């Protein structure tokens, strides 16, 4: 109680920060569940301290204590923590522009901590999915009301944590995809293509797709493809390459091997991207850089990622590209594999090779 009182006093911020450091000393001698519960109960409200530095220090201290001692926490302590997650979220939903950095950090740390303790918490409460559902939706609201661009950018790390949680139900992942869809629409309306938010989104997609590889299914893949196509085709990048193009297509490459249905879905999506035309008119003599990059990925898929028996269908799926000069290398790859060319495709193939 004395330590928390020193942390809460408003006379000298350095005293508050030093007092939070003392919590490490207290937990090192905490031998009972009651002691742990007392420490957690008294310290988590400091996350809502109006002083940003104190709030950040409270966030780092509180969640570091939990993660570093996670294997030693009793069921009583875990249940106390789980029951009070809603109270922590209540602190985070307060509109405190002066503490946005601390709130962003708290969202991320809570997601990281809860992900690592998922199975342990699941053994002591029955409504963990409800808490996660609320958590995801409140984080989206936080991003939408955030006033600092650097905080918005860092907030995307939250989704990397979410997609690494392999214990989630499909419904929770769908909730997360719905949240991302709304955020992508928001960013496309409010941020130009030079915004650093898109570089962070690209990195998030690359990490998240890799993390989901083992649990990838048709539903999840369709949602990822929708996000990727939206960012490439709906964002006005002018004459420049869409900012997420390279990272998103590279991320899709890492998903192979896939079953036939998912392979065809992914290939069809990249064909649509290859047909993308920038909103700004260009000289017809110039190559479409987005088409070139997408075709490179299609070629890599056909050469390295799929069995030869699938090439005939992939060839048919590629027919909308055959009038484009950028698709010449793809056609030559098909020809070198002795893929039969249907009569109705002969003219398109010839036009591409001329």
């Amino acid at each position: 109680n004395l330590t928390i009182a020193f942390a809460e006093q408003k006379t000298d911020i350095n005293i508050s920060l030093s007092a939070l450091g003392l919590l490490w000393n207290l937990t090192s001698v905490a031998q009972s569940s009651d002691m742990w519960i007392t420490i957690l109960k008294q310290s988590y409200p400091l996350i809502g301290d109006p002083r940003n530095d104190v709030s950040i220090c409270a966030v780092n201290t509180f969640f570091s204590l939990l993660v570093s001692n996670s294997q030693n926490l009793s069921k009583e302590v875990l249940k106390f923590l789980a029951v009070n997650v809603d109270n922590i979220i209540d602190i985070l939903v307060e509109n405190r522009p002066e503490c946005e950095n601390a709130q962003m950090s708290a969202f991320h740390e809570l997601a990281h901590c809860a992900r690592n303790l998922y199975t342990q918490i699941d053994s002591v409460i029955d409504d963990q999915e409800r808490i996660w559902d609320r958590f995801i939706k409140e984080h989206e609201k936080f991003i939408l009301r955030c006033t600092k661009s650097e905080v918005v950018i860092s907030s995307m790390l939250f989704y990397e944590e979410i997609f690494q949680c392999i214990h989630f139900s499909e419904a929770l992942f769908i909730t997360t995809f719905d949240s991302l869809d709304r955020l992508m629409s928001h960013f496309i309306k409010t941020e130009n293509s030079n915004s650093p938010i898109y570089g962070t989104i690209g990195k998030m997609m690359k990490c998240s797709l890799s993390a989901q590889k083992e649990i990838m299914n048709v539903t999840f893949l369709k949602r990822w493809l929708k996000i990727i196509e939206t960012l490439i085709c709906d964002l006005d990048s002018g004459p420049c390459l869409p900012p997420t193009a390279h990272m998103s297509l590279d991320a899709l490459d890492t998903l192979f091997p896939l079953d036939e249905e998912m392979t065809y879905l992914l290939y069809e999506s990249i064909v649509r991207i290859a047909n993308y035309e920038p909103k700004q008119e260009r000289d017809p003599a110039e190559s479409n850089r987005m088409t070139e990059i997408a075709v490179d990925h299609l070629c890599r898929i056909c050469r390295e990622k799929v069995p030869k028996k699938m090439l005939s269908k992939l060839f048919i799926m590629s027919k909308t590209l055959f009038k484009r000069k950028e698709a010449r290398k793809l056609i030559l790859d098909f020809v070198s594999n002795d893929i039969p060319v249907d009569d109705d495709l002969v003219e398109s193939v010839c036009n591409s090779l001329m």
Side-chain angles (χ1 to χ4, degrees), residues 78-79 82-83 120-128 131:
L78 287 168
K79 187 167 185 178
V83 168
Q120 291 166 268
I121 292 175
D122 221 31
S123 67
V124 296
I125 62 169
D126 298 324
D127 64 342
Q128 184 171 193
I131 296 172

Side-chain angles (χ1 to χ4, degrees), residues 265-283:
L265 278 172
L266 189 154
Y267 192 90
E268 186 177 35
S269 176
I270 299 180
V271 169
R272 285 195 294 270
I273 291 171
N275 278 310
Y276 161 78
E277 283 290 345
K279 293 180 173 62
Q280 184 171 335
E281 291 187 12
R282 61 182 177 86
D283 186 336

Side-chain angles (χ1 to χ4, degrees), residues 20 43-44 46-48 52-66 88 91-92 96 99 101-110:
L20 284 167
S43 58
Y44 82 74
L46 289 167
I47 293 172
N52 188 60
D53 289 344
V54 174
S55 182
I56 289 176
C57 186
V59 168
N60 293 337
T61 302
F62 182 81
F63 291 109
S64 294
L65 288 173
L66 284 176
I88 297 174
I91 295 172
L92 300 183
R96 295 185 292 147
C99 291
N101 281 290
Q103 289 177 302
M104 176 272 296
S105 181
F107 270 112
H108 181 228
E109 292 296 336
L110 181 54

Side-chain angles (χ1 to χ4, degrees), residues 305-353:
K305 307 292 185 180
V306 299
K308 203 165 184 177
K309 66 179 182 179
M310 296 178 66
L311 292 180
S312 293
K313 183 161 185 177
L314 296 182
F315 177 78
I316 300 300
M317 293 172 68
S318 307
K319 66 180 182 180
T320 57
L321 294 174
F322 292 158
K323 292 182 179 180
R324 294 177 174 271
K325 62 181 179 181
E326 296 92 346
R328 181 177 303 174
K329 63 191 297 185
L330 179 62
I331 293 175
L332 292 175
D333 277 359
F334 280 127
V335 170
S336 68
N337 279 288
D338 298 323
I339 301 300
V341 180
D342 292 345
D343 290 343
D344 62 333
L345 294 180
V346 170
E347 184 177 354
S348 294
V349 172
C350 290
N351 286 340
S352 179
L353 293 176

Side-chain angles (χ1 to χ4, degrees), residues 190-327:
T190 60
E191 303 285 340
N192 65 47
S193 60
N194 294 321
S195 171
I197 186 64
Y198 297 112
T200 302
I201 292 171
K203 292 175 186 175
M204 179 275 293
M205 289 193 294
K206 195 168 185 178
C207 292
S208 299
L209 278 162
S210 177
Q212 280 207 306
K213 181 175 181 178
E214 299 304 319
I215 59 170
M216 187 62 67
N217 59 33
V218 169
T219 301
F220 295 167
L221 182 59
K222 284 181 177 179
R223 298 304 295 266
W224 280 118
L225 294 175
K226 178 185 175 184
I227 291 170
I228 288 170
E229 289 185 46
T230 296
L231 287 168
I232 290 177
C233 301
D234 292 354
L235 178 64
D236 186 358
S237 302
C240 302
L241 198 66
T244 59
H246 280 295
M247 280 187 282
S248 56
L249 293 179
D250 287 346
L252 292 177
D253 280 352
T254 67
L255 294 178
F256 287 96
L258 294 166
D259 65 30
E260 285 195 5
E261 183 178 6
M262 287 195 284
T263 296
Y264 294 142
L265 278 172
L266 189 154
Y267 192 90
E268 186 177 35
S269 176
I270 299 180
V271 169
R272 285 195 294 270
I273 291 171
N275 278 310
Y276 161 78
E277 283 290 345
K279 293 180 173 62
Q280 184 171 335
E281 291 187 12
R282 61 182 177 86
D283 186 336
E286 294 179 357
S287 295
N288 183 331
R289 182 65 181 138
M290 187 67 253
T291 301
E292 289 179 339
I293 291 170
V295 166
D296 283 342
H297 284 271
L298 295 175
C299 289
R300 190 176 303 122
I301 290 171
C302 293
R303 290 174 193 160
E304 306 170 8
K305 307 292 185 180
V306 299
K308 203 165 184 177
K309 66 179 182 179
M310 296 178 66
L311 292 180
S312 293
K313 183 161 185 177
L314 296 182
F315 177 78
I316 300 300
M317 293 172 68
S318 307
K319 66 180 182 180
T320 57
L321 294 174
F322 292 158
K323 292 182 179 180
R324 294 177 174 271
K325 62 181 179 181
E326 296 92 346

